[in-house]
Amino acid sequence: MKLFAATVVGSAGERVSAATPLFDTLDDHVQDAPRVVPGAGSFANALEVAIEGRLYWRDGAIRYTLDGSDPTPSSPAYRGAFFLDHTATIKSAILDANGRLGAIASAKIEVRDVTPPSVDRVAPAYRSTTVRVRFSEPVDDSALAAKNYALDPPIDVKSVARVDARDVTLDLASAPVLERAYHLRIAGVKDASPAHNAMAATSFDLVVKGPVFQLEHVTSEQMGTEIRDVANLPLKATDAWTLNFFVKTDKEIEDRTLIAGFGKCEQAEAGGARYLAKFSSGIHFWSHNRDVRTHTPLDVGRWQMLTTTYDGHLARVYKDGKSIGEREIQLADDQSVVHIAPLDPWDQKRRFTGDIRGLTIWSEALNEDAIRSLQAASSEH
Amino acid sequence: MHVQYPRAFALLVLFASATMVRAQDTTSAPDITKQPTLYVVGYAHLDTQWRWIYPQTIREYLANTLHDNFKLFESHPQYVFNFTGSRRYQMFKEYFPADYEKLKSYVNAGRWFPCGSSVDENDTNTPSAESLIRNVMYGNRFFRRELGVASSEYMLPDCFGFTASVPSILAHCGIKGFSTQKLTWGSVVGIPFKVGVWEGPDGHSVIAALDPGSYGGDIDENLANSETWRTRIEANGKQSGVFADFHYYGTGDVGGSPNEKSVTMLEESLSTKGPVHVIAGRADALFEAITPAMKERLPHYKGELELTEHSAGSLTSQAAMKRWNRKNELLADAAERASVLAWWLGGRDYPSQRLENAWTLVLGSQMHDIVSGTALARGYEYSWNDELLAANQFQSVLEDAVSVVAGRLDTRAGGTPLVLFNPLSIEREDVVEAEIPGDAARLAGVRVTGPDGKPVLAQVLGPSKAGVRIAFLAKAPPVGFAVYDVRVAGTEPNSASSLRVEEKQLENERWIVSLNDDGDVASIRDKKANRELLSGPARLGLHYENPRQWPAWNQDLADRQQPAKEFVGGPARFRVVERGPARIAVEVSRDVGGSTFVQRIRLSAGGAGDRVEFDNDIAWATRERSLRAAFPLTTTNPHATYDCQSGTIERGNASEKQFEYGFQQWFDLTDSSGDYGVTVMSDSKFGSDKPDDATVRLTLLHTPGTRGGYPDQGTQDLGRHRILYALEGHAGDWRQGRSAQEAARLNQLILAFRATPHDGPLGKSFALFTTSDDDVRLSAIKKAEDGDFVIVRLRELSGRDKKSVRIATAKPIVSAREVDGQEREIGAADLRDGALVTDIRGYELRAFAIKLGEPSARAPRPASTPLALSFDADVISSNANRSDGAMDADGRTFPAEQWPATIADGATTFRLGATTDGGKNAVTCRGQEIALPRAADAGDRLDVLVAAVTDGRDADATIAIDGRPVPIRVRDWRARVGQWDHRLWPAEDVAHITTRTTATRTTSTVTSTRSRSTFQRARRRSDCRTTSA
């Protein structure tokens, strides 16, 4: 303890103290117990168990045990939902700001796993030889045997790699043909429970989807045009999407010039319009009052690939497959229209001049691998 | 092209340009009744906290704002930059002292203008009128003191709605103009005009520019030749005769500067003789150019300017911030009133600086993304801390001031003397709660007598930390004090009381309140009027809230049009918790939706019995919901009346554009017949809605779903909440019901202080101020910032003009003059027989600086004797040499820049050690002895300023005085004062900026057995640090 000053104050006068607290003392803000979800029950399959703070919690402060003992500050920290494939009594408490454990929550969950795993998701990648498979629960190493997977029409499964307890990646001998219907047959994969329940042979559809809109070459006549009523454009406010194109210009483009995009190209409702543009700070994603600014310039005299992805919350802007800016934004529902080099919506006088090709719009937020594959595919052409 | 000038040349440009800019602004100002003129304002918008927190704002955004603009000044001689918020300038000064000096030179040269007239760009829905006034006063006083210049406009480009009172309040402060761009985000009434007159409830007004374009907009055309602006200005001129408009350009929301291309284009515009005359400069230039005669002809709008979306959820989000803001406004008000009296009596200097420091923390937290509840969750760690720091300061000032007054009162008592303080300017009778020494287990009753020696209704509530908690019915004079005597009794004294209580029914002289089996109040019968208030049970409804976008800001009409997803209902647990004779209460406990609701329905005796009170203790764990207290009433009217900061506003039932309504302390539904009405009042809530003619609802909590993004807002306000609201039925309308006064009584309680018994010349009751009209509230009483005057602000409550209102004081007023909200003289005042006499318009605010006559006898001042300490450690470093000294093992230190030579805290003056490099300034406590200066008297105190290095935990220590141990508890030097929430976010590493620390001030009586080592969590910290970052 350090002392900085001491003063004796004479006795003249009264010294009162407030007879009730004059502001909130927070004495009632004691650490409450977390909530185990589910709180109890009997289950015939492994299940995901979550532990949630109720009133107050701190990131990384939940401690828990699975053997029915009371948790201590050194018990495992809860990091996220986990699979339980055997009977357990889960006890959990939260460390408060002073490092003390609060009230304990307890949940007895009876599990006798007699249910084989199923498949939640089969996800091929655009122009790629990899297919990711997510199982419904943790699986044992039987999931790594290539013989347990077969494609129809046939493509050899060369190898299988584990991503995590539930996910594996198949490496195929060749990339599936775009938009072609395949069936992936999976058999014999066992869950990681004590019973190692094996999956019966099951087939899953596998289709590598392409963009919902594609314009490979934009002619000079098409510059400044709008294409209306495009089917399947991702126009709902929270739809995920990707906008991608290659662009080249031989002269410095004026600031606040839109290059291409989709949605009503007007300053109307906030979150309307989805356009890549050139602003004073550089390449720019413009949606009315929902912009993503970057400080990366639009180059003059060379082809470059510009991409924006949106996952319903986060918009990311890429140049040549490299992320150059991102922001959480909320978009609005929009109209089905694609504009190539539209007039700027502010002054109605600036229009992009240059070349655009390979304009695609996707109904998903492509990941960086997929975006890079677009760049690579372009190089091959 | 960017041109780099040599440094010497840049200086020449700077002064040359100053002349040019001034010439443009003044001597060449055009005749705006003929010449189309565009006033262009270069600006950078900075949300002091939003999706970022103070350290990042300081480290990056303030730094960028300084440096980006300095760069533009050097290369663009006609560029003028506007930046708001004195608090941000305080941060400039504190963290960038060298750049701040440079900024001052640019201000002096007319290149950088401190615009906006505020401490920060604040929210207007939650703060009180007094807060808005202080925002202007403290903001502009800082600018004048530091920079020698201040603005005559008020600038809120980005704010979530503007109350109807804003123009009245600004006009009261002598502000001429107002601007915002936020109405383009969706305004309930549209955008009334481009440039016009916005009028407040009292008829006073400001000129307003309501469509200046985005603050983040660029200038990408020659404005002098702009057809768009020429057309707009021509349209303005045809309408009003004033051919002028107002245009922001710049950047946001992270500060910085306009881009260089815009500045270049602006300079081209300035040098072009086109159809539009372009003026670029101070943000107040347009408002200064419009003469009163021109103002007369401008288009006119009277009313609120709330937003269609953002104004709904933000009225309720972040409940603790809004509650603590309200509580601090009231605590500040009480502290100032008591301090005026303590200063007038001569017992203390008026603590102007301390109050300004605390107010600045509160006003800074009223920034439009903070108190509105839309900032990053982690930002509230700073803002909660700031509110609690301010509360500590206000409490300390209040207790010290009351000590002086209590010292002059006659507190002789047979038991414990309690000094009551009524800050309100009305005489009142209300229930007072107090904790007194005693053993609750052995205590059956309590006897309380008033200043006249007669017993009052009193009861024991239960045990407390200090002993026993009691409640009693007390009368107190306006802005005055009264001494009550509390004696514990072995048996409950016989008290005649009209109160009756059972598990499902409460009754006093005015009401019979009945509860149904679900635990809801099903009937409130007005015995006096022989009338039922409720047409159905008053239920708590959980309503779905998952706005399409902007979760903390918005509520969606589609969600509102759905009925409540569920109601708080049975099974209910009932318990009678208070049995009178002063107050009765039934406690109802219910669990719904994962949350727990404990509601105490209360009725009081006597003058406090006109309100049916609902004291709520809610453990809120329900997501995607708002919680609304619904009151289906027997009074019906398509219109209800809502209290705004100064005045009232009438609104209809929910509509597509507005379905959530803000209010300050009350709203009222008087029947269309006008014969009866019901007022709803609350101590900390600001949102409400009115779905139909007969139903009003009070919005208590808002934890929205986050389909619109911002996932951190999906857990906002989960936690414990204490909410007090009340119903009051009345004959006639809200004026006859005295709704404003009732709501003020619910909010500003009679405050009780434990004192010691002694004689005193002021007697057992004392009032400093009285008014001849209860509808004229003394809404502020404070010492003037300059000179020995008392500022008294009047607020008319009824909306009706009042003549010859008389304000009298304990001693005749010597002199008086009228001042504005910035305390600048604006006129003479009428004194008659030592009292101030004035007319006041309905809803008007007027302020007077008065000089009080001398008191009959002055209060003594206790001697303060700082002790010489043998410092053995250096715990302070300057920003220039951060490696000097160490407070902890990691080498952290207190900043020398914020370490004063002395700290004055009431009667105590602390003398601190040196801050020079290597200088020793702390004693490492190892059981050393410190000599006291003389034989101490009984009642002398030892105050110490200490801090612990304990890794976030409290440290228990002992000070032995003449061998007698006095235990004290000391906070860790880096711990926060308190947090409403305990959540922890990833650590920030902000080096010097986060070494914000506080030492604990503790007091021990030297020779008596009394000690005051009561420093609990979230209580009492010293004022050696009051900044927030």
Side-chain angles (χ1 to χ4, degrees), chain A residues 150-180:
Chain A
L151 268 165
D152 178 29
I155 303 176
D156 279 353
V157 178
K158 288 177 10 192
S159 62
V160 184
R162 183 180 287 281
V163 179
D164 57 30
R166 293 170 65 193
D167 282 30
V168 296
T169 301
L170 316 185
D171 187 20
L172 309 182
S174 61
V177 177
L178 206 61
E179 304 288 357
R180 182 167 179 182

Side-chain angles (χ1 to χ4, degrees), chain A residues 1-32 35 52-59 96-99 237-238 253 255-256 269-270 278-280 289-290 293 312-313 327-328 330-333 347 349-350, chain B residues 220 259 261 323-324 391-392 395 399 403 407 433-435 465 548-550 594 596 620-621 708-710 718 720 752-756 758 862-867 869 871 908-911 922-925 930 938 940-947 953 970 979-980 982-984 999 1012 1018:
Chain A
M1 199 172 81
K2 295 280 197 292
L3 170 66
F4 310 112
T7 295
V8 173
V9 183
S11 61
E14 170 68 87
R15 184 147 180 108
V16 303
S17 57
T20 50
L22 293 176
F23 53 91
D24 293 348
T25 58
L26 304 177
D27 290 343
D28 61 342
H29 283 226
V30 293
Q31 183 60 60
D32 61 331
R35 185 162 43 196
E52 301 169 349
R54 182 172 165 267
L55 294 179
Y56 305 114
W57 66 92
R58 306 187 310 140
D59 189 23
D96 71 11
N98 290 315
T238 54
I253 299 298
D255 294 340
R256 297 166 79 81
E269 188 182 359
K278 194 269 181 183
F279 270 47
S280 59
N289 281 337
R290 305 284 193 275
R293 180 181 297 203
H313 300 286
R327 190 180 165 199
E328 274 189 12
Q330 282 72 56
L331 297 179
D333 292 353
D347 307 308
K349 63 182 187 186
R350 292 180 298 280
Chain B
D220 48 14
N259 64 45
K261 281 195 169 176
R323 175 180 172 87
W324 288 355
N392 275 327
Q395 165 162 334
E399 284 184 333
S403 295
E433 290 187 27
E435 294 175 10
K465 277 185 179 170
R548 201 164 51 86
Q549 50 187 3
W550 304 106
T596 303
W620 177 248
Y710 301 98
L718 300 186
R720 290 185 188 280
F753 299 86
R754 286 185 294 268
T756 54
H758 51 70
S864 176
T865 311
L867 304 183
L869 301 178
F871 294 130
T908 308
T909 300
F910 290 116
R911 193 163 60 215
V923 177
T924 308
C925 299
I930 300 168
D940 280 4
R941 298 195 315 271
L942 174 66
D943 288 359
V944 294
L945 193 64
V946 291
R953 299 174 192 207
V970 182
Q979 295 285 286
W980 182 80
H982 298 263
R983 267 175 284 182
L984 188 71
R1012 301 191 65 253

Side-chain angles (χ1 to χ4, degrees), chain A residues 103-330:
Chain A
I104 295 173
S106 179
K108 184 169 185 188
I109 299 173
E110 293 180 2
V111 182
R112 196 172 77 82
D113 190 350
V114 294
T115 311
S118 58
V119 171
D120 281 355
R121 187 163 171 250
V122 174
Y126 182 68
R127 289 177 177 167
S128 164
T129 59
T130 62
V131 175
R132 188 147 166 174
V133 178
R134 163 161 284 200
F135 292 94
S136 60
E137 60 181 299
V139 287
D140 68 11
D141 283 351
S142 59
L144 302 181
K147 67 179 176 58
N148 287 337
Y149 305 87
L151 268 165
D152 178 29
I155 303 176
D156 279 353
V157 178
K158 288 177 10 192
S159 62
V160 184
R162 183 180 287 281
V163 179
D164 57 30
R166 293 170 65 193
D167 282 30
V168 296
T169 301
L170 316 185
D171 187 20
L172 309 182
S174 61
V177 177
L178 206 61
E179 304 288 357
R180 182 167 179 182
Y182 290 85
H183 299 286
L184 175 64
R185 182 175 177 276
I186 306 177
V189 174
K190 297 172 185 168
D191 67 26
S193 74
H196 293 285
N197 304 293
M199 190 179 162
T202 314
S203 278
F204 302 92
D205 293 339
L206 186 156
V207 180
V208 181
K209 285 191 175 172
V212 293
F213 176 85
Q214 188 163 20
L215 196 59
E216 194 54 47
H217 298 287
V218 180
T219 63
S220 56
E221 290 75 31
Q222 284 174 313
M223 298 295 280
T225 59
E226 61 180 48
I227 301 155
R228 293 197 160 271
D229 302 325
V230 179
N232 303 321
L233 274 185
L235 298 168
K236 291 283 180 199
T238 54
D239 280 351
W241 51 262
T242 299
L243 167 68
N244 187 81
F245 55 78
F246 294 82
V247 63
K248 183 182 175 209
T249 176
D250 293 326
K251 63 173 187 179
E252 189 72 43
I253 299 298
E254 279 191 86
D255 294 340
R256 297 166 79 81
T257 300
L258 304 189
I259 304 171
F262 63 105
K264 198 174 174 184
C265 187
E266 291 178 5
Q267 294 188 82
E269 188 182 359
R274 294 125 167 92
Y275 285 83
L276 275 158
K278 194 269 181 183
F279 270 47
S280 59
S281 59
I283 296 164
H284 192 99
F285 170 72
W286 176 73
S287 174
H288 183 46
N289 281 337
R290 305 284 193 275
D291 301 35
V292 182
R293 180 181 297 203
T294 83
H295 294 281
T296 304
L298 183 70
D299 297 333
V300 174
R302 65 172 280 266
W303 282 100
Q304 54 224 290
M305 186 179 83
L306 305 187
T307 314
T308 302
T309 65
Y310 183 66
D311 64 5
H313 300 286
L314 184 72
R316 278 205 176 94
V317 182
Y318 298 83
K319 178 184 179 186
D320 293 332
K322 187 180 164 196
S323 176
I324 55 173
E326 65 178 46
R327 190 180 165 199
E328 274 189 12
I329 56 173
Q330 282 72 56

Side-chain angles (χ1 to χ4, degrees), chain B residues 19-343:
Chain B
T19 310
M20 289 175 65
V21 171
R22 283 175 175 165
Q24 182 87 14
D25 277 355
T26 55
T27 56
S28 66
D31 178 356
I32 57 174
T33 62
K34 297 189 179 74
Q35 167 76 58
T37 304
L38 181 63
Y39 289 83
V40 183
V41 175
Y43 164 78
H45 186 69
L46 173 61
D47 294 321
T48 318
Q49 288 203 114
W50 182 37
R51 303 307 291 173
W52 41 85
I53 57 178
Y54 285 126
Q56 187 176 4
T57 298
I58 294 166
R59 189 176 47 201
E60 293 179 34
Y61 306 149
L62 287 179
N64 292 346
T65 302
L66 289 164
H67 302 145
D68 293 357
N69 283 290
F70 291 168
K71 212 163 155 186
L72 283 175
F73 290 144
E74 287 171 16
S75 52
H76 295 277
Q78 290 179 288
Y79 170 60
V80 177
F81 177 62
N82 290 271
F83 193 63
T84 63
S86 65
R87 197 170 190 229
R88 286 99 71 89
Y89 286 77
Q90 283 182 309
M91 292 174 183
F92 283 145
K93 185 179 180 183
E94 183 176 337
Y95 294 103
F96 307 97
D99 288 323
Y100 184 67
E101 290 306 313
K102 200 170 172 183
L103 179 157
K104 281 166 124 176
S105 71
Y106 282 117
V107 171
N108 194 38
R111 306 294 305 280
W112 179 307
F113 183 60
C115 65
S117 301
S118 64
V119 170
D120 206 330
E121 290 181 24
N122 56 286
D123 174 63
T124 75
N125 285 322
T126 303
S128 67
E130 195 59 32
S131 279
L132 297 183
I133 293 165
R134 299 303 173 97
N135 220 325
V136 176
M137 185 196 73
Y138 286 130
N140 272 352
R141 281 188 64 82
F142 177 91
F143 291 139
R144 291 193 187 100
R145 183 172 66 235
E146 287 282 322
L147 306 172
V149 63
S151 184
S152 61
E153 52 74 59
Y154 197 71
M155 193 173 184
L156 292 179
D158 182 27
C159 184
F160 313 142
F162 310 91
T163 64
S165 295
V166 168
S168 294
I169 293 164
L170 295 181
H172 172 66
C173 292
I175 294 294
K176 292 180 179 170
F178 168 82
S179 69
T180 185
Q181 54 106 61
K182 201 64 183 179
L183 301 185
T184 57
W185 281 59
S187 160
V188 172
V189 296
I191 301 177
F193 44 69
K194 308 295 186 194
V195 176
V197 173
W198 184 21
E199 184 184 316
D202 62 356
H204 291 297
S205 62
V206 287
I207 303 163
L210 300 180
D211 192 11
S214 167
Y215 55 69
D218 298 339
I219 298 176
D220 48 14
E221 64 174 335
N222 186 325
L223 297 171
N225 294 327
S226 167
E227 189 55 26
T228 309
W229 281 106
R230 190 194 64 75
T231 306
R232 221 178 105 157
I233 294 168
E234 290 286 354
N236 289 352
K238 276 181 192 151
Q239 186 182 18
S240 68
V242 176
F243 290 82
D245 215 325
F246 186 81
H247 182 29
Y248 295 150
Y249 78 103
T251 188
D253 302 315
V254 293
S257 71
N259 64 45
E260 188 162 17
K261 281 195 169 176
S262 293
V263 174
T264 303
M265 186 55 81
L266 177 68
E267 286 181 321
E268 187 184 319
S269 308
L270 290 170
S271 60
T272 302
K273 276 191 183 294
V276 177
H277 185 97
V278 178
I279 290 180
R282 293 167 50 143
D284 60 1
L286 167 68
F287 309 113
E288 289 290 345
I290 294 176
T291 63
M294 293 180 203
K295 186 179 169 187
E296 288 283 313
R297 295 182 57 194
L298 289 173
H300 188 277
Y301 173 74
K302 182 172 185 173
E304 63 186 350
L305 291 168
E306 294 294 337
L307 304 187
T308 49
E309 296 187 336
H310 275 18
S311 296
S314 61
L315 288 171
T316 305
S317 290
Q318 290 293 350
M321 276 307 295
K322 289 180 166 71
R323 175 180 172 87
W324 288 355
N325 178 71
R326 165 66 58 79
K327 299 294 179 191
N328 267 330
E329 288 173 338
L330 297 170
L331 197 53
D333 180 62
E336 289 178 346
R337 287 165 196 248
S339 294
V340 163
L341 190 46
W343 165 71

Side-chain angles (χ1 to χ4, degrees), chain A residues 23-26 98, chain B residues 324 361 381-393 952 954 971-982 996-1000 1015-1023 1025-1027:
Chain A
F23 53 91
D24 293 348
T25 58
L26 304 177
N98 290 315
Chain B
W324 288 355
L361 292 172
E381 289 192 343
Y382 288 90
S383 299
W384 291 325
N385 202 57
D386 284 350
E387 294 285 355
L388 290 169
L389 273 171
N392 275 327
Q393 297 296 312
D954 292 347
R971 297 284 287 161
D972 176 57
W973 75 304
R974 297 179 67 222
R976 299 204 195 288
V977 177
Q979 295 285 286
W980 182 80
D981 194 340
H982 298 263
R996 60 186 309 275
T997 51
T998 332
T1000 303
F1015 300 98
Q1016 302 155 2
R1017 181 172 177 75
R1019 303 290 303 278
R1020 189 181 285 279
R1021 298 289 291 268
S1022 89
D1023 58 356
R1025 287 294 302 261
T1026 53
T1027 55

Side-chain angles (χ1 to χ4, degrees), chain B residues 219 340 359 393 403 445 449 495 505 619 645 673 681 767 775 801 803 844 862 876 909 947 962 970 1002 1025:
Chain B
I219 298 176
V340 163
W359 262 112
Q393 297 296 312
S403 295
T449 51
S495 301
Q505 187 158 304
Q645 286 106 343
S673 67
M681 54 196 84
D775 282 339
D801 294 354
K803 296 283 182 192
E844 192 177 25
I876 299 168
T909 300
D962 292 341
V970 182
T1002 186
R1025 287 294 302 261

